[in-house]
Amino acid sequence: MFKQLCNRFGTPISVGIAALLLVWLIALVILPQLLMVDYSFRPNLLPSEIGGPKDSYSLVNYVTLFNNKIHLGIFFKTIWSSVMVTALTLVVSYPLAFYLAKVATPKQAALCLLLLIIPFWINEILRTFSWYIILAYNGPLNAMLQALGLIDRPLRFLSGNGGVMVGMVYAYILFMIFPLYNALESLDANQIRAARNLGASWAKTHLRIIIPHAKPGIATGCIMTFMLAAGSYAVPALLGSPGSRWFTQIIYNWFFEGGNWNQGAAYAFLLLILCIGFIGLVMKVFKVGLGDIAK
């Protein structure tokens, strides 16, 4: 990659770009993560006790999670819910991405992409609040369903995980659509026509031709959506109920309400490890490498 940069921009500019990337990786990614790991193995002490005999490395902060059944339950519920969000986002995004890549004309595709992107010019908090209004007990969705005679009384969409799931699918749908669109756009349409001419149904054409070709895009979209969903704070905080807390809310409470950065770092590091494991699992299931995902 560095040689390609040199060929395109010249050696001095390429060295500058590489240096800026290196500084960004070290200062904003690697060092904060190392600091978080260091915090997670140390006890929460008063400033006067830091560096003293009590300031030693241990697994106490990690053991706390496994001894707290409530936090452990929220942890596994967050992971499972993030998987469900990823699956729902894939189901919603795949037909749309296929339409944009292989069915729509260039003008239609451009218009659809513009309509998808425009709402994301608004801050995520405001977009989440809009869903809070839509799904409220006396909100427009319940009013419409009652007007159509589909329900007798308003439904409490925000009393469980339903509102959080809907909000997250909407919040992260672009992170699934664009990798899928990028992968499907490179598929030769003659392969689809050949499969159809040979008698393959649309279902078999998708299963045997289109989806295998789109595997890097599916893997990339699933990884990005899962990571964002598992690490989300605003959506579950605004659209969730007390019974649908997200693990990130527990981490936030440790850091900013409990003042225990060491315990919060341990929780955050465990979530990071599990997300990295999910990335490896997705890559293995779809049989793609980092190079395929980077495309």
Side-chain angles (χ1 to χ4, degrees):
M1 182 178 287
F2 183 73
K3 185 179 292 186
Q4 293 175 346
L5 284 174
C6 290
N7 294 334
R8 185 172 181 179
F9 301 107
T11 302
I13 295 178
S14 300
V15 170
I17 293 173
L20 288 174
L21 287 174
L22 188 62
V23 170
W24 180 81
L25 284 173
I26 294 175
L28 300 179
V29 179
I30 297 175
L31 288 180
Q33 297 298 329
L34 291 177
L35 187 62
M36 182 182 70
V37 173
D38 179 68
Y39 274 12
S40 70
F41 287 104
R42 298 167 68 176
N44 184 37
L45 301 173
L46 296 173
S48 60
E49 296 176 320
I50 296 176
K54 295 182 180 180
D55 191 5
S56 59
Y57 291 100
S58 69
L59 296 174
V60 173
N61 294 322
Y62 293 91
V63 174
T64 300
L65 172 62
F66 296 99
N67 288 338
N68 191 320
K69 294 183 179 180
I70 296 176
H71 288 183
L72 191 63
I74 294 174
F75 177 74
F76 287 116
K77 190 214 72 172
T78 299
I79 300 306
W80 172 248
S81 298
S82 300
V83 171
M84 293 300 297
V85 168
T86 304
L88 288 172
T89 308
L90 177 60
V91 170
V92 172
S93 301
Y94 179 81
L96 184 55
F98 179 77
Y99 170 79
L100 293 172
K102 293 302 172 189
V103 178
T105 64
K107 288 186 178 180
Q108 290 173 337
L111 178 61
C112 288
L113 288 173
L114 185 63
L115 292 175
L116 285 169
I117 293 172
I118 284 177
F120 286 81
W121 294 351
I122 303 172
N123 183 274
E124 181 184 356
I125 303 296
L126 296 179
R127 285 186 281 112
T128 305
F129 264 122
S130 69
W131 275 107
Y132 182 86
I133 295 171
I134 292 170
L135 299 174
Y137 186 75
N138 292 319
L141 180 58
N142 270 319
M144 183 184 69
L145 293 175
Q146 284 183 295
L148 294 173
L150 298 177
I151 57 175
D152 296 328
R153 62 183 65 183
L155 301 175
R156 297 189 180 276
F157 294 108
L158 300 175
S159 63
N161 291 323
V164 177
M165 303 284 277
V166 170
M168 285 196 176
V169 169
Y170 173 76
Y172 307 129
I173 191 170
L174 290 186
F175 295 94
M176 183 70 76
I177 287 179
F178 284 137
L180 283 172
Y181 173 75
N182 184 53
L184 291 171
E185 194 178 30
S186 63
L187 175 63
D188 189 352
N190 290 323
Q191 296 185 45
I192 300 175
R193 284 194 288 267
R196 295 290 291 158
N197 290 337
L198 291 172
S201 63
W202 270 115
K204 185 171 289 186
T205 301
H206 279 276
L207 290 174
R208 300 292 295 274
I209 303 295
I210 301 172
I211 292 178
H213 181 85
K215 283 195 301 183
I218 295 173
T220 304
C222 288
I223 289 171
M224 295 177 67
T225 304
F226 177 85
M227 296 285 285
L228 290 168
S232 176
Y233 175 80
V235 177
L238 294 175
L239 298 180
S241 61
S244 60
R245 298 184 72 190
W246 221 249
F247 194 65
T248 47
Q249 294 174 275
I250 306 298
I251 296 173
Y252 178 90
N253 290 341
W254 279 122
F255 272 100
F256 299 104
E257 294 182 9
N260 193 337
W261 285 33
N262 305 85
Q263 190 66 66
Y267 277 35
F269 186 60
L270 284 173
L271 183 62
L272 175 63
I273 291 297
L274 196 139
C275 289
I276 293 173
F278 179 83
I279 293 174
L281 178 63
V282 169
M283 292 172 61
K284 185 175 181 179
V285 169
F286 289 96
K287 297 179 181 178
V288 297
L290 290 175
D292 298 319
I293 294 176
K295 293 179 182 179

